[in-house]
Amino acid sequence: MQELCSLNLEELKTWIAEQGEKPFRAAQVFDWVYQKGAESFADMTNLAKDFRTKLSESLSFPSLKLVRQIDSEDGETTKFLWQLADQKLVESVLIRSHDRRTVCVSCQVGCPARCAFCASGKEGLLRNLTPAEIVEQVLHIDRQLKKIGERVCHIVFMGMGEPMENYDAVLKAVSLFNDPAAFQISQRRITISTVGVVEGIKRLSKEDLHVNLVLSLHAPNQHLRKKIIPYARKYPLEEILLAMDEYGKETKRDITYEYTLLAGINDRMEHADELATLLKGKQCTVNLIPYNPVDGLHLKRPEADTIVAFKEALVEAGINTTWRYTKGKDIAAACGQLALQKL
Ligand code: SAH
């Protein structure tokens, strides 16, 4: 059965026309699903009954099952754990910051990248999510928010999985997030984070999209990077950085480099200096993320003064640097942590 939320408006129009129905019915279905929060095809009361039956026989309605929902103590983040049709688990995080409502989505069950500090890759990659399984994470959260007069306005692909390794599904989900008939989220408010898959970055730069691209850098040289990110063996750092530069040039978007700080591993002054040299002259931002502890991993978050000194060194070298205080620490909000606890 075809998943309803894997279809964009054009595809649904085509499908509906093939059933001998008027294509404008597609916009009505979209309105029910994405604006009115219909819970089933039966709710779509302005559609003829036999058409609704036909829809329900051929298209599967959103089916992501909410298993757990946990708010952080500070109320700024909420973590959602979802069960998929095959019982597998994925998670999303809602981040509230002033009036901004950002959803961090997963794009795979598990992750092939196996970064040393991350919970998602501990079991490796289990499977790709379908576009519908990505879209439905946001659909459910958006429905909850609508009840209190809010909407999801930003999306980040920073949950479980590597977006470039599920490229087509991620792009389809992006088109639905962006679609005026669905979520109406501008491309500039959508961010894809990658571990650094060169062909994926190059391909994305040719898509005529204006989404933000983030590279999970985590080290100032290939040698150290390979130790933190086993996946880095596949792609030399110089090639990744060239592809990122090309993305910035083609799309006119600033590039962000994420750097998870791990005590005693990549947080020394010499690393900050090397990083500043590596990124010198680039139109970019470095986002420092102190490591968020994951059960079973013997890594440590650096002390606050180490983080401050690291940041200062970059700023002094002229690198635009932000330090993301890890939100939702008490609810295990880093990538893959909740699903791993449940497993
Ligand atoms: N595969 C993609 C997207 C998922 S990870 C990528 O590698 O970019 C997204 C971000 O989550 C990474 O940049 C990493 O910094 C962050 N992250 C994951 N686990 C973390 C942890 N335990 N502590 C701090 N940051 C973490």
Side-chain angles (χ1 to χ4, degrees), residues 135-197:
V135 167
E136 288 178 27
Q137 297 169 47
V138 178
L139 181 62
H140 280 268
I141 296 172
D142 196 51
R143 275 187 195 160
Q144 278 199 11
L145 287 181
K146 266 194 213 141
K147 289 182 187 152
I148 51 168
E150 298 177 354
R151 299 274 328 238
V152 175
C153 58
H154 287 73
I155 306 281
V156 294
F157 282 84
M158 290 188 184
M160 297 167 80
E162 169 48 44
M164 296 300 179
E165 298 293 14
N166 189 14
Y167 190 94
D168 292 338
V170 166
L171 253 69
K172 175 61 84 61
V174 165
S175 78
L176 277 147
F177 293 145
N178 189 219
D179 192 329
F183 295 97
Q184 302 146 2
I185 299 172
S186 126
Q187 287 174 10
R188 288 163 198 279
R189 294 179 168 195
I190 299 172
T191 299
I192 294 178
S193 180
T194 179
V195 73
V197 178

Side-chain angles (χ1 to χ4, degrees), residues 5 33-34 37-40 61-69 78 80-84 90 92 94 103 105 132-148 150-152 155 177 183:
C5 290
V33 174
Y34 295 105
E39 306 265 339
S40 70
F61 206 77
S63 63
L64 224 58
K65 202 171 123 202
L66 182 62
V67 183
R68 257 172 95 186
Q69 178 169 344
T78 304
F80 299 81
L81 185 67
W82 314 105
Q83 192 176 60
L84 308 171
V90 287
S92 323
L94 167 65
V103 177
V105 291
E133 287 167 334
I134 302 172
V135 167
E136 288 178 27
Q137 297 169 47
V138 178
L139 181 62
H140 280 268
I141 296 172
D142 196 51
R143 275 187 195 160
Q144 278 199 11
L145 287 181
K146 266 194 213 141
K147 289 182 187 152
I148 51 168
E150 298 177 354
R151 299 274 328 238
V152 175
I155 306 281
F177 293 145
F183 295 97

Side-chain angles (χ1 to χ4, degrees), residues 318-333:
I319 309 277
N320 187 20
T321 310
T322 57
W323 165 9
R324 189 169 81 193
Y325 168 74
T326 317
K327 289 187 181 227
K329 204 172 142 209
D330 58 306
I331 56 164

